[in-house]
């Protein structure tokens, strides 16, 4: 008859073998001493190929050091286990995201034997979340494009009218034609500018980081929004200072952020008002952009929900603008701060790191 301890030991071994959760035992030196079939499936390797190799061979280089502080705590015994998301490298070279629980294994006497890693593949979930984010960005852009269309149609009508007038003048044989052509081509340039600004909104763009002057980006979005503002009796006042403010960023995303903050400001002043856009360089490392309106302000209850997707107080709002903008600024290693006073107005402060090159 088998004793119950050795019987339960056999069960434990079996449990690890058949577990759908990837399980790896790592000795105190960081070498893999046991790997179960589920872990082999996630990695695409046979157990023999992994045994006695350092576990970090399979971890995406950038992620090896990322949790260093927390790993130190685990080693020193301050924490018993860690929950992390990490990228592993599959045998075929692609990245697999895993949700990983790392625990210290101790002997009965309490000495550290090594670590146990339990992990499941969350790559599909990550991909779906990424696609969802892209979809939200696109939906926000399209809704902005739609809402701006009226203002833009208006903005294009003025140069069109003047072009039409000059064409008629030329046809009637009036003199001074060079001058007319100059005016016509500058009006066409203006239409081109407006249309290209609108097109960027409607088209999905791939993310591309490049050097850009914040002052120029702001000028471009103001071109797009100015008629909208004038229709609502809002004056946009700019104070960009003399110095350039070059950041490293995705131009389309940054413009989308600025449009969102300007639109929100304009919409907070249904009876008209002023929106001041000010740049400030505290030091050589960051630039702060302030969007200050004297609109309705944001009540405490709404302030705490700002950034929740689909949270809106507007009939035609989608409640995506703030969330997406904040996420985009954070992707640029920046920050967004909101300060607001009811009936007095709101200031959105965006901080971005300046380009170091
Ligand atoms: P939407 O503009 O579609 O409603 P946002 O995410 O841009 O979505 O904003 C969410 C909510 O935050 C708005 O509905 C509004 O109540 C509030 N809000 C944002 N910016 C301002 C502002 N400058 N002044 C007043 N309220 C604001
Ligand atoms: Mg908005």
């Amino acid at each position: 008859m088998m004793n119950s301890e050795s019987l339960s030991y056999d069960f434990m071994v079996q449990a690890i073998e058949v577990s759908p959760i990837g399980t790896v035992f790592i000795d105190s030196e960081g070498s893999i001493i046991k790997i179960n079939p589920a872990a082999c499936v996630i990695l695409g390797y046979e157990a023999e190929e992994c045994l006695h190799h350092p576990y970090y061979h399979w971890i995406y280089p950038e992620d090896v050091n990322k949790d260093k502080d927390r790993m130190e705590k685990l080693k020193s015994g301050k924490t018993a286990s860690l929950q992390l998301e990490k990228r592993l490298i599959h045998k075929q070279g692609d990245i697999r995201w895993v949700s990983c629980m790392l625990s210290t294994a101790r002997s009965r006497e309490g000495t550290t034997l090594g670590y146990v890693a339990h992990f499941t593949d969350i790559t599909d979930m990550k991909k779906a979340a990424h696609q969802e984010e892209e979809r939200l960005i696109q939906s926000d852009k399209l809704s902005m494009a739609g809402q701006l269309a009226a203002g833009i149609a208006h903005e294009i009508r003025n140069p069109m009218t003047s072009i039409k007038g000059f064409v008629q003048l030329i046809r009637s044989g009036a003199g001074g034609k060079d001058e007319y052509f100059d005016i016509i081509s500058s009006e066409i340039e203006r239409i081109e500018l407006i249309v290209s600004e609108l097109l960027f909104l409607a088209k999905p763009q791939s993310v591309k980081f490049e050097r850009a002057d914040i002052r120029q980006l702001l000028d471009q979005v103001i071109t797009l929004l100015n008629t909208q503002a004038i229709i609502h009796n809002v004056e946009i006042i700019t104070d960009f200072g003399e110095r350039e403010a070059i950041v490293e960023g995705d131009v389309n995303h940054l413009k989308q952020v600025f449009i969102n903050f300007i639109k929100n400001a304009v919409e907070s002043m249904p009876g008209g008002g002023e929106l001041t856009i000010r740049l400030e360089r505290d030091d050589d490392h960051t630039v702060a952009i302030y969007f200050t309106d004297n609109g309705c302000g944001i009540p405490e209850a709404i302030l705490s929900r700002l950034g929740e997707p689909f949270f809106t107080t507007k009939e035609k709002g989608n409640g995506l603008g703030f969330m997406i903008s904040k996420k985009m600024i954070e992707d640029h290693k920046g920050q967004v701060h909101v300060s607001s006073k009811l009936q007095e107005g709101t200031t959105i402060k965006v901080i971005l790191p300046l380009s170091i090159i």
Side-chain angles (χ1 to χ4, degrees), residues 73-82 102-107 110-117:
K73 278 196 190 140
L74 191 68
K75 278 189 186 150
S76 67
K78 281 188 195 133
T79 351
S81 68
L82 275 182
L102 200 59
S103 329
T104 332
R106 290 184 205 287
S107 70
T111 50
T112 305
L113 300 171
Y115 309 95
V116 184

Side-chain angles (χ1 to χ4, degrees), residues 260 263-264 267 314 321-322:
N260 270 318
K263 252 180 102 262
N264 280 347
E267 287 160 357
K314 299 169 193 166
F322 191 88

Side-chain angles (χ1 to χ4, degrees), residues 84-123:
L84 329 149
E85 282 187 0
K86 276 198 184 294
R87 286 166 288 187
L88 303 181
I89 305 164
H90 187 268
K91 190 168 190 176
Q92 253 134 39
D94 56 330
I95 290 170
R96 294 293 156 94
W97 276 96
V98 291
S99 167
C100 175
M101 162 102 141
L102 200 59
S103 329
T104 332
R106 290 184 205 287
S107 70
R108 281 169 211 223
E109 290 75 39
T111 50
T112 305
L113 300 171
Y115 309 95
V116 184
H118 288 292
F119 50 92
T120 47
D121 193 331
I122 55 165
T123 312

Side-chain angles (χ1 to χ4, degrees), residues 272-283:
E274 277 177 9
L275 161 62
T276 311
I277 306 174
R278 194 164 59 84
L279 286 194
E280 200 176 84
R281 270 140 297 199
D282 306 329
D283 48 42

Side-chain angles (χ1 to χ4, degrees), residues 242-303:
E242 295 299 311
R243 283 167 60 197
E244 56 181 12
I246 309 280
V247 299
E248 198 85 32
D250 180 85
V251 168
N252 294 313
H253 280 184
L254 290 175
K255 282 192 192 173
Q256 189 171 349
V257 169
F258 300 154
I259 291 174
N260 270 318
F261 289 145
I262 295 174
K263 252 180 102 262
N264 280 347
V266 171
E267 287 160 357
S268 78
M269 302 182 277
E274 277 177 9
L275 161 62
T276 311
I277 306 174
R278 194 164 59 84
L279 286 194
E280 200 176 84
R281 270 140 297 199
D282 306 329
D283 48 42
D284 287 333
H285 308 293
T286 56
V287 56
I289 312 152
Y290 296 86
F291 298 87
T292 305
D293 64 59
N294 48 14
C296 59
I298 310 175
E300 202 56 48
I302 291 178
L303 208 56

